[in-house]
């Protein structure tokens, strides 16, 4: 996942705002420079308009022509503030950041998205479809209403398989159970969602013997590799490990990588969590 | 007075900087990470992430928690140790278009002396900050900076190893920061960094677990600014050496509070997480402010907070 | 578990309260001021503004400054002195539909003993809080609560004058709050109030004058919550007597952090300035939370923060 | 100024919002219970919608039928947040608070308002006019654009005399100079505005030998008399002094009164500032 990104601080404008479900908002931005260089799996740090402390990490949902969009859940102070943005409001966005998904020439891709993870998987889905791959989206949420944008993925050409915790739509249970039940293992799995889901994806991918790339989340401070606050342990000889003294010399078989810098996308088999 | 003719330069020990802005240790990587977002030639100095004698993996995750107007961190000084650092990292620092200040942490007087000596020997490093106040690696929060005698010992030992500028970073988690500051000055510090983070804790009320892997952490950001301004004010009245003020600086107004309280320079840490353009914006607006107030030089306002007004009214008990 | 069957009562010394909520001293007048906005019968206790032996006019204005997620205050213990207080104010406290706790401040051990004895003798007063930690009347910020020996002396003297519940209010402006807490306990305190405000300062960058008439003040509100939660956590591990946790509590989540850290009750000060309905909302939501978690009683969760997880990974230097 | 107010916390709704000048906003609220009991000079504490710490003191500008309005300058964090309120938004308002103006049977009333002070003087103007008094409004601001609502006061029946610091409208200089120049001293002066203006009003009123009531401002915390943060020194035998030991016994000739509780309106001759 070697994408090096020409990132910058972008002063952009809100051109579109939709509440997809209660507390789930999609914001469209006029951001030509950012749209041009964004790749699947990139994220952005959004500067709080009120000056609230610390920018917020959000995946880049769409990026085409002059437009970028962000899809987020209003969970805390900063995302609640972003939910109040109106068309015409200015916004500072730092991006694109991180190393994204590598789709290569996989012909059959399974994408697993849980909850807000959906925000980071449209771009890789589009990339895979454009390359002619079959794309199955395994999409899980607590309940039917939170399965936002599923029609969008279908319209793009994905096969959409859904799971809900409460059984209100699709499979009742975890989306990873749905993945495990497939009779046609994909060539590549890409996943984004809450930690427990990603761990289950990693397990299932291992059992299926299919390589998997996981987009991880942690609380971020800087988002650019400057604070070492967002780490995850990798196996010590991972290609993604940061420059560091050989871990084995230090009596440890792991090395902490920064999710914001070396990730957020990691190969499942290199994670030690 | 014209904005361009205002003198923003500062002298901290032997370190001469065109701008009075340090980037806080541990918040700014080695500067490179922020280069796409800010013109590094327009900041004073980057203080590097603290380095220790031996490599450290650091604390378990989570290492960060957002709190009202601030954040808690408990990184735990993840770093590759001084050997690897000197071999692999330090040479790249020569490329930075601003001064690079090394930061050293340790667990014994020997550790500090050893690491400072080796790091200070390198040309890429213009000055050394002695981090004796990291709350995240301490036993029950007690660090060197919590004890006047330990402070004196460690500063004296580090001082003996180098002539380069030595900035000693103090902890706010003490009863009497001015007393510690005096010890550091007497032991040979060229300057003081005031303050490091304030110890704190947050608990997840669903899991009942601390929200930091290290249980406790250090509070930074605007929440602690009033605490930091007072610390600078008290330390400035206790010592003669310059102070690098820090704690929650995000705007020129915030920075001015520190200068007026007695800081010769300021440091921006958490503010960079809010918007990386903050340090340069502060420098621009500082020049405008000084021009508007007809001050030719930043040095003119350092420590000029006017506290000389008396209470006009009193009752008997007010003398108590 | 049903919300109504949850037991929220607490015992602090001899004080039995139906709800675990104190209203912070100096923030709630004598309760009467807030009666139009909140049902006082649904709060635990009001802690009165601190009273001193002699009348005090208090500090010059300004006495308040808003800061990020908090405020600085420097009231300076304006109060009519114990004589006038006993003659004019105390009898009205009998009307309050909640417990009334007196608060006493002073400038000598004698002051405290004298004032506590006279106040505690009154039936209207159910318990006494010893404010040994007000930062706004102190010389260079040093209060009784900054010194273990002074803490012990003043608590012992107050203890000798009354059998009523004695709550000792501690200062966060110390190197080792747990050590001070142990002294207070050994000297006879029935409970501890943790924490009083954190010392701070703000400067007006246009006038160059401190934004408080008293120059320095005490920081309160959500900004200090992480500092307060840690103080409660550390004190709870050092003493056996109950703790009234305080500092920035505005929601049930905030209150729960304190209970899990080891507080038996919480106190709400600055939160009342944001919305006077907060104390009752917290009590309602606390009952809901406990019912949801199948806890029959609040007491079950006090001090239950689970800190028992070890760092799975280490490097050599991590042991440092 | 003996009005005792039946105050409460009101859950109200924004029904109107206008930007009167850049950064000066008027918000109309559907607040029948509050409107009913508000008297001239009363203020309210507005609960920050985002949960920001400490409610904000604002004068009550209008109060009639089911409507109350607030007029404020966006100067800091909390007033900036209030400026973003939209029609339909809920708001918590504590009020009415304080002791207001006493107009009595004065037949010729001069009202002096500086800047945001205008927010507290419409109700007393209306009251005096309704009682048949002549009302002159002396209204000062930095510049012409900030003289908001002057037509409103004229329409109510006030004689409006304006002063601007920059001379862009009316008298060039302080509004209190304009007051001092009158050849027809009023029977009563009511004033609200920045401290230096109020001091000048007090001086001028003294020279004219006209009683004056001043509505003061300080930083508030509680707004209800609970914290003693908002005090002003009064002469020791003021009728408005709070219950306190006789000041003379304490070697002081002043006593601090709470602006929020004993005020915000005080007789000029009782202030010792
Ligand atoms: C690379 C990356 C990409 C991301 N992409 C997206 C995206 O596309 N869309 C999206 O919606 N999110 C995304 N996130 C997550 C998002 O960054 C966070 O949800 C965001 O930080 C929330 O900020 P906040 O201020 O609103 O909430 P915060 O205040 O930071 O709270 C965050 C979470 O912690 C919880 N919390 C807060 N206080 C407490 C407490 N006292 N006890 C227990 N829990 C508490 C909150 O309820 C909330 O769930 C991404 C994160 C990363 C790292
Ligand atoms: C009884 C009463 C009635 C009032 N009525 C009205 C009214 O009707 N309309 C109205 O607009 N206002 C009124 N006010 C004033 C209003 O309450 C304050 O302006 C309000 O508190 C501002 O809150 P804020 O959070 O927006 O600003 P704050 O953050 O509280 O700042 C207030 C002021 O301090 C300044 N300030 C902030 N930080 C600094 C700093 N570091 N250095 C120097 N200055 C600083 C700000 O620029 C601003 O001018 C009234 C006040 C009182 C007491
Ligand atoms: C994530 C993070 C990591 C930090 N790491 C270090 C460190 O390694 N060494 C050090 O001396 N200070 C460290 N600090 C403290 C900062 O340099 C600074 O002194 C403190 O955060 C207060 O300033 P601020 O509010 O501007 O961040 C760290 C702070 C943060 C937030
Ligand atoms: C305006 C104000 C006045 C206070 N006066 C007193 C006092 O007289 N005595 C005292 O013990 N504490 C006093 N305090 C401290 C509070 O009781 C409380 O301990 C502290 O503010 C932290 O809690 P909080 O963040 O909930 O306000 C005062 C606090 C404030 C904000
Ligand atoms: S968030 Fe700072 S290094 Fe990743
Ligand atoms: S603001 Fe609290 S007494 Fe006036």
């Amino acid at each position: 996942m070697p994408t090096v990104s020409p990132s910058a601080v972008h002063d952009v404008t809100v051109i579109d705002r939709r509440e997809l479900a209660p507390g789930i908002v999609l914001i469209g931005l006029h951001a030509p420079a950012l749209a041009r260089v964004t790749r699947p799996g990139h994220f952005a740090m959004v500067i709080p308009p009120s000056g609230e402390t610390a920018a917020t990490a959000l995946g880049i949902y769409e990026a085409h022509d002059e437009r970028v969009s962000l899809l987020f859940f209003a969970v805390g102070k900063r995302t609640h503030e972003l939910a109040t943005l109106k068309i015409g409001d200015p916004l500072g966005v730092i991006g694109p950041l991180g190393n994204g998904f590598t789709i290569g020439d996989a012909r059959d891709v399974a994408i697993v998205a849980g909850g807000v993870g959906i925000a980071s998987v449209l771009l890789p889905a589009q990339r895979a479809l454009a390359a002619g791959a079959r794309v199955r989206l395994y999409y899980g949420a607590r309940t039917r209403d939170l399965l936002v944008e599923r029609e969008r993925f279908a319209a793009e050409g994905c096969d959409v398989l859904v799971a809900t915790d409460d059984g209100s739509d699709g499979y009742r249970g975890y989306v990873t159970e749905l993945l495990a039940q497939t009779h046609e293992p994909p060539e590549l799995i890409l996943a984004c969602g809450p930690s427990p889901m990603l761990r289950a994806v990693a397990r299932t991918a291992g059992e299926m013997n299919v390589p998997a790339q996981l987009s991880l989340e942690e609380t971020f401070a800087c988002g650019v590799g400057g604070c070492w606050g967002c780490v995850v342990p990798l196996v010590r000889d991972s290609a993604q490990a940061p420059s560091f003294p050989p871990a084995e010399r230090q009596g440890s078989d792991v090395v902490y990588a920064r999710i914001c810098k070396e990730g957020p996308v990691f190969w499942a088999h290199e994670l030690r969590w | 007075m014209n904005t361009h003719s205002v003198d923003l330069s500062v002298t901290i020990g032997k370190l001469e900087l065109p701008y009075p802005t340090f980037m806080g240790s541990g918040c700014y990587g080695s500067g490179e990470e922020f280069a796409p977002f800010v013109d590094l030639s327009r900041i004073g100095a980057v203080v590097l992430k603290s380095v220790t004698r031996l490599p450290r993996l650091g604390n378990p995750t989570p290492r960060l928690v957002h709190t009202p107007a601030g954040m808690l961190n408990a990184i735990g000084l993840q770093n590759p140790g001084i050997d690897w650092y000197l071999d692999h990292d330090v040479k790249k620092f020569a490329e930075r278009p601003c001064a690079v200040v090394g930061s050293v942490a340790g667990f014994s007087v020997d550790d500090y002396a050893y690491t400072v000596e080796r790091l200070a020997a390198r040309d890429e490093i213009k000055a050394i900050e002695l981090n004796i106040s990291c709350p995240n690696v301490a036993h029950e929060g007690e660090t060197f900076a919590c004890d006047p005698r330990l402070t004196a010992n460690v500063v004296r030992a580090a001082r003996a190893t180098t002539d380069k500028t030595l900035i000693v970073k103090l902890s706010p988690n003490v009863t009497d920061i001015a007393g510690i500051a005096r010890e550091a000055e007497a032991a040979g510090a060229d300057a003081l960094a005031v303050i490091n983070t304030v110890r704190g804790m947050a608990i997840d009320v669903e899991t009942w677990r601390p929200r930091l892997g290290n249980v406790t952490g250090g509070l930074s950001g605007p929440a602690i600014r009033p605490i930091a301004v007072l610390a600078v004010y008290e330390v400035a009245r206790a010592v003669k050496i310059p102070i690098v003020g820090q704690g929650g600086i995000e705007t020129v107004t915030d920075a001015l509070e520190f200068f007026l309280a007695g800081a010769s320079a300021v440091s921006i840490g958490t503010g960079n997480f809010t918007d990386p353009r903050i340090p340069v914006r502060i420098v621009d607006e500082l020049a405008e402010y000084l021009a508007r107030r007809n001050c030719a030089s930043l040095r003119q306002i350092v420590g000029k907070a006017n506290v000389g007004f008396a209470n006009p009214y009193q009752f008997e008990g007010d003398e108590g």
Side-chain angles (χ1 to χ4, degrees), chain A, chain B:
Chain A
M1 298 143 216
T3 342
V4 169
S5 51
S7 26
V9 187
H10 301 271
D11 286 309
V12 305
T13 310
V14 176
I15 49 174
D16 175 19
R17 180 202 179 277
R18 277 182 294 143
E19 187 143 353
L20 305 176
I24 308 185
V25 177
L26 187 147
I27 286 191
L29 303 170
H30 181 247
L34 180 57
R36 208 157 33 237
V37 291
T38 297
R39 302 283 168 266
H42 278 159
F43 71 94
M45 296 295 288
V46 182
I47 299 174
S50 66
E52 184 66 34
T53 295
T56 308
L58 293 180
I60 300 181
Y61 181 56
E62 299 168 293
H64 55 80
D65 304 327
E66 311 218 305
R67 183 171 187 275
V68 154
S69 78
L70 308 170
L71 190 168
F72 57 92
F73 285 39
V75 294
K77 198 157 189 177
R78 294 166 303 150
T79 46
H80 270 110
E81 191 197 356
L82 295 179
T84 69
L85 285 170
K86 301 180 304 292
I87 290 176
D89 283 348
L91 194 65
V93 175
I94 306 167
L97 296 168
N99 293 309
F101 292 105
T102 310
I103 290 134
D105 51 8
R107 311 294 311 157
D108 187 353
V109 177
I111 294 181
V112 190
V116 72
I118 199 71
S120 297
V121 297
L122 182 63
L123 293 181
Q126 288 173 331
R127 169 67 54 94
L129 289 162
R134 168 190 186 195
V135 177
R136 279 172 283 173
L137 173 69
Y138 292 85
Y139 186 9
R142 255 189 303 113
T143 186
R144 180 196 180 95
D145 292 348
L146 303 179
L147 287 167
V148 298
E149 295 286 281
R150 56 197 282 197
E151 298 79 8
R152 171 69 189 272
F153 280 82
E156 295 276 345
C158 298
D159 301 335
V160 180
L161 297 92
V162 305
T164 52
D165 294 1
D166 64 0
S168 53
D169 204 341
Y171 177 79
R172 180 197 207 98
Y174 291 134
V175 65
T176 46
E177 295 162 13
L178 204 54
L179 172 69
Q181 287 164 17
T182 184
H183 298 297
E184 304 167 86
E187 280 169 51
L188 177 66
I189 297 173
L190 312 178
C192 187
S195 256
M197 183 199 94
L198 295 181
R199 284 167 203 265
V201 170
R203 215 177 311 114
T204 307
E207 286 159 10
M208 285 182 169
N209 208 6
V210 174
Q213 295 169 30
L214 312 181
S215 180
L216 303 192
E217 251 194 45
E218 250 297 350
T219 305
F220 279 8
C222 69
V224 300
C227 75
W228 293 87
C230 63
V231 299
V232 63
L234 298 188
V235 294
R236 66 185 179 201
D237 48 4
S238 161
Q240 280 179 269
S243 143
F244 230 59
E248 68 271 28
R249 271 209 0 240
Q250 309 304 334
S252 166
D253 61 355
V254 305
V255 54
Y256 279 125
R258 294 162 294 191
I259 293 178
C260 72
K261 189 81 176 178
E262 280 81 45
V265 179
F266 293 93
W267 287 108
H269 62 273
E270 297 200 337
L271 292 166
R272 264 298 168 81
W273 43 321
Chain B
M1 185 69 47
N2 162 317
T3 303
H4 296 287
S5 60
V6 170
D7 178 12
L8 295 178
S9 71
V10 296
T11 307
I12 304 290
K14 296 176 181 163
L15 197 61
E16 310 260 354
L17 302 175
Y19 301 109
T21 42
F22 287 70
M23 300 302 110
S25 174
C27 300
Y28 215 67
S30 72
E32 186 189 12
E33 292 82 351
F34 284 85
F37 315 113
V38 71
D39 177 355
L40 293 178
S41 75
R42 304 227 35 239
I43 67 173
V46 172
V47 185
L48 302 164
K49 173 83 194 156
S50 302
V51 65
T52 53
R53 185 173 192 153
L54 295 176
R56 288 178 54 83
L57 201 51
N59 288 326
T61 57
R63 291 178 171 185
L64 301 169
V65 185
H66 295 286
T67 64
M71 60 191 315
L72 286 167
N73 88 78
I75 311 295
L77 297 178
Q78 173 166 358
N79 82 87
I82 189 68
D83 288 340
W84 176 277
Y85 194 68
L86 293 176
D87 290 348
H88 295 78
D89 295 336
V90 175
K91 54 177 153 286
K92 289 180 292 184
F93 303 155
E95 302 156 15
R96 299 288 173 279
C98 61
V100 173
V101 174
S103 170
V104 169
F107 302 89
S108 69
V109 171
D110 257 19
D111 268 6
Y112 276 103
Y114 175 84
T115 314
V116 168
E117 178 161 28
R118 294 196 57 199
L119 187 58
R122 292 290 292 262
D123 284 347
E124 297 90 342
I125 302 294
K126 303 303 173 208
I128 300 279
E129 187 169 279
L130 221 51
N131 175 7
I132 58 170
S133 48
C134 178
N136 297 326
V137 295
H139 179 65
E140 305 269 294
E142 288 279 340
T143 64
F144 284 80
C146 288
D147 183 303
R149 202 179 43 80
L150 291 178
T151 298
N153 290 347
V154 73
V155 174
R156 211 175 300 113
R159 174 76 291 167
T161 70
T162 180
D163 288 334
K164 282 196 179 156
T165 302
L166 202 59
I167 305 170
V168 177
K169 189 160 184 178
L170 302 185
S171 169
N173 305 302
V174 296
T175 310
D176 175 22
I177 195 171
I180 309 273
R182 271 186 228 103
E183 292 292 337
E185 179 181 41
D190 295 305
L192 301 171
V194 178
I195 55 176
N196 210 320
T197 53
V198 183
R199 296 180 64 230
M201 178 177 186
I203 299 170
D204 185 319
V205 306
E206 291 307 325
T207 64
W208 294 12
R209 286 161 72 123
R211 299 186 72 204
L212 289 171
N214 187 50
V215 181
T216 73
L219 187 62
S220 65
I224 67 166
R225 194 195 313 134
I227 303 172
V229 170
L230 176 57
V232 167
Y233 172 75
E234 292 189 333
V235 169
R237 286 152 55 113
V239 302
K240 296 210 162 45
I241 51 179
I243 295 167
V244 183
Q246 57 204 280
I249 297 177
E250 293 191 337
T251 67
V252 68
T253 308
D254 303 342
L256 283 163
E257 283 198 78
F258 283 84
F259 292 123
L260 291 167
S264 296
V266 294
S267 177
I268 296 135
T270 304
N272 292 298
F273 308 156
T274 300
D275 187 337
R277 295 168 300 187
I278 282 175
V280 169
R281 194 181 293 149
I282 286 177
V283 159
D284 288 342
E285 294 178 7
L286 198 52
E288 285 165 25
Y289 174 92
L290 292 167
R292 175 161 66 78
R293 303 285 297 221
N294 264 307
C295 297
S297 152
L298 173 62
R299 293 166 208 243
Q300 286 172 250
I301 74 166
V302 169
K304 289 295 158 55
N306 170 11
V307 300
F309 49 84
N311 187 346
Y313 312 115
Q314 289 220 322
F315 266 20
E316 282 176 55
D318 288 283
E319 285 149 48

